Amino acid sequence: MDEVRQRDRAGTRRRILDAARKLFTELGYDQVTMRLISAEADANVALINRYFGSKRELFAEVLAMQGRFPGVLDVPEEELPRRLAEYVAERLRSEQASPVMAALIRSASCSEIHGLIRDRVSSAILEPLAARLPGPEAIFQAAVATALITGAGTLSQLYGPDAFDAPDRETVIRRLTAVFEACLRA
Amino acid sequence: MDEVRQRDRAGTRRRILDAARKLFTELGYDQVTMRLISAEADANVALINRYFGSKRELFAEVLAMQGRFPGVLDVPEEELPRRLAEYVAERLRSEQASPVMAALIRSASCSEIHGLIRDRVSSAILEPLAARLPGPEAIFQAAVATALITGAGTLSQLYGPDAFDAPDRETVIRRLTAVFEACLRA
DNA sequence: TTGACCAGTAAACAAGCGTCTACTAACTTC
DNA sequence: GAAGTTAGTAGACGCTTGTTTACTGGTCAA
């Protein structure tokens, strides 16, 4: 009993970061407590502030380590609507499809990190998507698509997986593709 | 000094309810504290629990007093997409277009009221909208439209009014109408 | 006028939060 | 092997939260 713990600065830091990423993704910023993170990471609470400064800075680092809307936008232009549709369909089907956006959606109500969230949404989705669209309404079109994506996340969280007695997957994707085409069409 | 307050049970109750509705709408469930409500209502904190039981029950009563997606769905079927588009356009333009959904969107992350929110979204938007659509995919189509509506609310809250250098209002509504048509089309 | 009732009040309650300080003990360096 | 550095720990700090208790004092029927 009373095992002596190894001293491993880098490892402990990473455990904390991983635990924070997992919990923020599942629960959102203000539902996650420092003690919850420390328990999940099996590390002392004080170490979180020692290594990351504050809860807010830890959250910022979690955001920074996320890829930017991973891979979804990296397809030829004509496949973009279907690619987005597949992404949203996946988010509607499984409760926890993509950790990238989940933390953002569930944390938007907390004014403490309002700026962090906004910057992240801009740089991860809104701007790269708008950059791929021609014409002066690109930003607005990208915003509509982003609204659909985040809204799907919200509904998915609210109702759980497979809540809408969805038809087969291909029908779902076909419908969503049509909607995204309407968003992105010049 | 030390004005003696009138005894007015019904009036005080209504002041609290109005203050709660305003604050929940602006800030969301967990950003609103009992003391904030009591200050806004100019009533003692203890009276809130006396009249409503708990914060949660007060929130439930605020939800119950809201009309169900006021008037938006009460148009002929062919005007429905444009009507929804106008609604979303209004939400994107002014930060606080509709108080009905705002509280819901900003409160979805709080598990304490998860059930309340879900029931409210179902009865206020999802089900009445689905009821107006034909075919076996009505629920799913309504869900996509709902996702767009709530997502627009989230983005509006995140970026503030007029954030997307939107074209003129008519163009915005035309684009959104096309998207909703893609959602609702058989 | 008196006494029951009850709207309104102030203060405290326990629990939870993020953060910080004082300390222990394991490594490293000379 | 002694000294210094530092990872890890335990616990308290100050604050905020929703909720509750004990009390004050108007109101109104008898």
Side-chain angles (χ1 to χ4, degrees):
Chain A
M1 299 300 151
D2 265 17
E3 291 277 323
V4 177
R5 184 181 296 276
Q6 291 238 359
R7 289 166 56 116
D8 180 9
R9 179 185 173 92
T12 301
R13 208 190 115 98
R14 193 173 34 74
R15 286 206 320 280
I16 292 173
L17 200 56
D18 288 344
R21 182 170 59 102
K22 175 185 173 190
L23 290 170
F24 282 140
T25 299
E26 290 176 2
L27 303 171
Y29 183 77
D30 43 2
Q31 300 287 320
V32 172
T33 69
M34 305 286 275
R35 288 162 179 83
L36 205 59
I37 297 172
S38 81
E40 174 77 24
D42 193 29
N44 191 278
V45 202
L47 293 180
I48 302 179
N49 279 325
R50 182 200 288 275
Y51 291 145
F52 298 95
S54 68
K55 183 188 181 185
R56 194 192 127 96
E57 289 172 272
L58 171 60
F59 183 75
E61 190 140 337
V62 168
L63 284 192
M65 73 188 278
Q66 305 281 0
R68 60 173 200 38
F69 207 27
V72 174
L73 300 179
D74 302 335
V75 293
E77 181 157 353
E78 66 273 16
E79 293 178 21
L80 204 50
R82 182 174 174 98
R83 187 72 194 84
L84 291 171
E86 288 169 349
Y87 177 78
V88 168
E90 198 52 40
R91 299 233 30 200
L92 281 176
R93 179 169 303 265
S94 74
E95 196 168 9
Q96 193 78 353
S98 161
V100 182
M101 286 299 303
L104 306 183
I105 291 168
R106 303 186 194 199
S107 309
S109 73
C110 184
S111 63
E112 193 181 355
I113 52 170
H114 204 95
L116 287 177
I117 303 281
R118 190 178 49 230
D119 295 348
R120 185 71 192 155
V121 170
S122 287
S123 67
I125 303 188
L126 204 65
E127 288 169 3
L129 186 54
R132 303 214 38 188
L133 302 177
E137 303 168 15
I139 286 273
F140 176 73
Q141 291 175 267
V144 175
T146 303
L148 189 51
I149 294 167
T150 61
T154 302
L155 249 65
S156 167
Q157 178 204 355
L158 204 54
Y159 285 88
D162 286 315
F164 316 102
D165 50 359
D168 58 309
R169 176 176 153 87
E170 194 47 45
T171 307
V172 168
I173 290 179
R174 182 171 40 78
R175 294 213 86 100
L176 287 171
T177 302
V179 176
F180 276 113
E181 275 169 355
C183 291
L184 306 181
R185 161 169 54 227
Chain B
M1 298 297 156
D2 265 16
E3 290 277 322
V4 177
R5 184 179 296 276
Q6 291 239 1
R7 291 166 55 118
D8 179 10
R9 180 184 173 92
T12 301
R13 209 190 115 99
R14 193 172 34 74
R15 286 206 321 278
I16 293 173
L17 200 56
D18 288 345
R21 181 171 59 104
K22 175 184 173 190
L23 291 170
F24 282 140
T25 299
E26 289 176 2
L27 303 171
Y29 182 78
D30 43 4
Q31 299 288 321
V32 172
T33 68
M34 304 287 275
R35 287 161 180 83
L36 206 58
I37 297 172
S38 81
E40 175 77 24
D42 192 29
N44 191 278
V45 202
L47 294 180
I48 302 179
N49 279 327
R50 182 202 288 273
Y51 291 146
F52 298 94
S54 68
K55 184 188 180 185
R56 195 191 125 97
E57 290 172 271
L58 170 59
F59 184 75
E61 190 140 339
V62 168
L63 284 192
M65 74 188 276
Q66 305 281 358
R68 60 172 201 37
F69 207 25
V72 173
L73 300 180
D74 302 335
V75 293
E77 182 158 356
E78 66 272 16
E79 293 177 23
L80 204 50
R82 181 173 174 98
R83 188 73 196 85
L84 291 171
E86 287 170 349
Y87 177 78
V88 168
E90 198 52 40
R91 302 233 27 200
L92 281 176
R93 180 170 304 265
S94 74
E95 197 167 8
Q96 192 77 352
S98 162
V100 182
M101 286 299 304
L104 306 184
I105 292 168
R106 305 185 192 198
S107 309
S109 74
C110 185
S111 63
E112 194 180 353
I113 52 171
H114 204 94
L116 288 176
I117 303 280
R118 189 178 51 231
D119 294 346
R120 184 71 192 155
V121 170
S122 287
S123 67
I125 303 188
L126 204 65
E127 288 169 3
L129 186 53
R132 303 213 39 186
L133 302 176
E137 303 169 15
I139 285 274
F140 176 73
Q141 291 175 267
V144 175
T146 303
L148 188 53
I149 293 167
T150 61
T154 302
L155 250 65
S156 166
Q157 179 203 355
L158 205 54
Y159 286 88
D162 285 317
F164 316 102
D165 49 0
D168 58 308
R169 176 177 153 86
E170 195 47 46
T171 307
V172 168
I173 290 179
R174 183 170 40 78
R175 294 213 86 102
L176 287 171
T177 301
V179 177
F180 276 112
E181 275 169 356
C183 291
L184 307 181
R185 160 169 56 225

